[in-house]
Amino acid sequence: MTYFILIAGLLAGVPIALAIIAALLWFMATGEAPYDLRLVATEMFSSLNSFPLLAIPLFILAGEVMNESGITSRIIAFCNVLVGRLRAGLALVNIWASVIFAGLSGSAVADTSAIGRVFIPEMERHGYTRDFAAALTAASSVIGPIIPPSIPVIIYALIASGVSVPALFLAGVVPGVLLAIFLSVFVMLTVKVDRGHAGDEDIEMKPARDAILGGILPLFMPVFVVGAILLGIVTPTEAAAFAVAYALVLGVLVYRNIGARTLPRIFAKSMADSAAILIIIAAVGAANWVLTFNRVPNMLTDWVLANVDGQTTFLIATILLFLFVGLILEGIAAMLVLVPIMHPIAVELGVDPVHFGILVIFNLMIGLITPPLGLCLFVAEGIAGIGMTRMMRAIVPFFLVEILVLVILTFVPGLVTFLPTALGF
């Protein structure tokens, strides 16, 4: 009955946190040894009683401030200088703008929204189909939570013991850039054979000097934030606070796009987005306490170790599991539910914990472009207005490209662990 309540709630569109709490309350009230229901509230608050968790609302606020600072146009101009004159230049600018945007917001949904509003109509004007432009925008936005700073990375480090945030930050750089390279190659090959897409666009570009100077200040933020964490100068939470201060200086004093009337709206949206994540963390934290108390993770670990014959089988099973779960659960919720169970098993089987962490995050971020709950899919379709059927058809080739990159990262762990190892993490 507990699982029925959870699944029925999800199918009915009940927010994931409320569905988990309802199922948990039923289990605790009707189990063979009923618990004190006050434990649900106690464990929910205990799950949020963590100083590192402050980094989440702070990074969300920094991303919102940067979005309102008018940096999107500056990033686009900067990327135009780099790749705008190549074949399929505008499509390449879309992809590499997402790479840079990833270092500012760490949010795929924010990336899709900010870049999609500019690129989808602009790409259509230059000869690309609207379907292709929307699908490319959604697919490239997956890079956001992989390249540091990243909210999913911070959450993963909190729930997986023994994994450091700096190591995961470094480990995400190569996979994020590799995904951008594969998407770029795919786009360039597609443009050569698809007459519906433009080849050599006449892209309006600012003078290179102006574009580079305009893009330098936003680019300094991820350099300062990640660099300070890696050097041990600040904790991730302190770095997030610095990111907010830096973003406010740019928006209020340098670019002057943010005024006294804008700030309340920015803070309100950041609080709403933060609350949506934190209530999931609280609900899953209470559920994980119940599972741990009943030794469910231990039993699953023993069963897997007894029936799985090695790392390769386990990693393949992990990919399939997280791809499936990503279809029906939001990425952070899925991570909170499964990582406390899967991470110890991976460690027992000798899988590098940093490698496994990036695989999980990469895997679940692909879920952002897969129906029925792919948030980036919905955001891009909402901007493009092409209908979900056309959107799903257009996203399939990009989905396959991302699966290919995931497989490569799975079986070539050095691509993930190279930077952390080289820098002593």
Side-chain angles (χ1 to χ4, degrees):
M1 187 64 181
T2 302
Y3 292 110
F4 173 78
I5 292 174
L6 177 60
I7 295 171
L10 294 174
L11 293 177
V14 176
I16 176 64
L18 298 182
I20 292 173
I21 292 171
L24 183 60
L25 287 172
W26 175 270
F27 172 80
M28 295 182 73
T30 61
E32 293 181 3
Y35 298 87
D36 186 339
L37 294 182
R38 288 176 296 181
L39 281 172
V40 175
T42 301
E43 292 302 322
M44 288 180 66
F45 279 101
S46 295
S47 300
L48 298 178
N49 186 22
S50 170
F51 179 72
L53 273 181
L54 285 175
I56 295 173
L58 287 171
F59 273 125
I60 290 174
L61 177 57
E64 288 295 330
V65 174
M66 294 296 277
N67 290 345
E68 292 286 339
S69 299
I71 65 163
T72 303
S73 60
R74 291 176 170 84
I75 292 174
I76 291 171
F78 182 83
C79 292
N80 264 331
V81 174
L82 300 180
V83 296
R85 291 301 183 186
L86 300 176
R87 177 169 292 276
L90 194 57
L92 296 179
V93 173
N94 188 326
I95 295 169
W96 289 95
S98 291
V99 173
I100 295 177
F101 211 86
L104 304 178
S105 71
S107 168
V109 176
D111 186 338
T112 306
S113 178
I115 291 180
R117 294 181 190 281
V118 176
F119 270 102
I120 292 175
E122 188 69 11
M123 289 180 69
E124 185 180 32
R125 188 170 73 84
H126 282 90
Y128 293 85
T129 66
R130 201 167 182 84
D131 303 27
F132 179 88
L136 177 62
T137 301
S140 62
S141 67
V142 171
I143 298 169
I146 299 171
I147 292 180
S150 166
I151 292 171
V153 161
I154 293 173
I155 293 174
Y156 189 95
L158 287 173
I159 58 180
S161 59
V163 184
S164 71
V165 172
L168 285 173
F169 273 0
L170 287 171
V173 174
V174 172
V177 173
L178 188 66
L179 176 55
I181 292 172
F182 270 70
L183 287 173
S184 299
V185 171
F186 171 77
V187 163
M188 295 181 74
L189 292 176
T190 304
V191 167
K192 290 179 181 179
V193 298
D194 191 339
R195 296 180 182 178
H197 299 156
D200 297 311
E201 295 91 337
D202 182 18
I203 303 174
E204 296 180 5
M205 297 176 61
K206 294 180 179 180
R209 179 175 175 274
D210 293 344
I212 292 173
L213 290 177
I216 284 179
L217 287 179
L219 288 174
F220 273 141
M221 191 186 87
V223 173
F224 288 150
V225 169
V226 178
I229 294 174
L230 296 180
L231 292 174
I233 299 173
V234 296
T235 65
T237 304
E238 293 165 343
F242 169 80
V244 172
Y246 187 83
L248 285 171
V249 169
L250 287 186
V252 176
L253 301 179
V254 180
Y255 300 142
R256 298 184 180 180
N257 293 327
I258 297 177
R261 295 183 179 180
T262 312
L263 284 174
R265 175 170 55 81
I266 294 174
F267 283 112
K269 188 175 188 308
S270 299
M271 286 189 289
D273 292 345
S274 300
I277 295 175
L278 293 174
I279 188 64
I280 295 174
I281 293 175
V284 174
N288 283 338
W289 179 86
V290 173
L291 292 175
T292 303
F293 186 81
N294 288 278
R295 300 190 75 256
V296 173
N298 302 80
M299 291 186 287
L300 286 174
T301 300
D302 293 340
W303 184 87
V304 171
L305 293 177
N307 292 276
V308 173
D309 57 3
Q311 291 185 11
T312 302
T313 304
F314 173 73
L315 289 175
I316 293 173
T318 298
I319 289 176
L320 297 176
L321 172 64
F322 279 101
L323 283 176
F324 173 75
V325 170
L327 297 176
I328 56 177
L329 279 182
E330 191 271 333
I332 290 177
M335 192 188 306
L336 290 165
V337 171
L338 292 175
V339 168
I341 298 173
M342 303 298 292
H343 175 77
I345 299 174
V347 173
E348 285 289 335
L349 289 171
V351 179
D352 187 290
V354 172
H355 179 220
F356 186 73
I358 294 299
L359 291 183
V360 169
I361 294 168
F362 196 109
N363 214 322
L364 291 174
M365 293 309 104
I366 293 177
L368 293 172
I369 61 169
T370 55
L373 297 177
L375 292 179
C376 292
L377 209 62
F378 285 107
V379 172
E381 192 282 323
I383 296 171
I386 58 177
M388 191 51 67
T389 301
R390 288 171 59 186
M391 186 72 202
M392 288 190 293
R393 189 183 305 120
I395 202 69
V396 169
F398 297 104
F399 171 78
L400 295 177
V401 170
E402 296 188 357
I403 291 296
L404 174 61
V405 176
L406 174 61
V407 171
I408 292 172
L409 294 174
T410 300
F411 295 106
V412 188
L415 292 172
V416 177
T417 59
F418 167 73
L419 271 181
T421 303
L423 296 177
F425 289 95

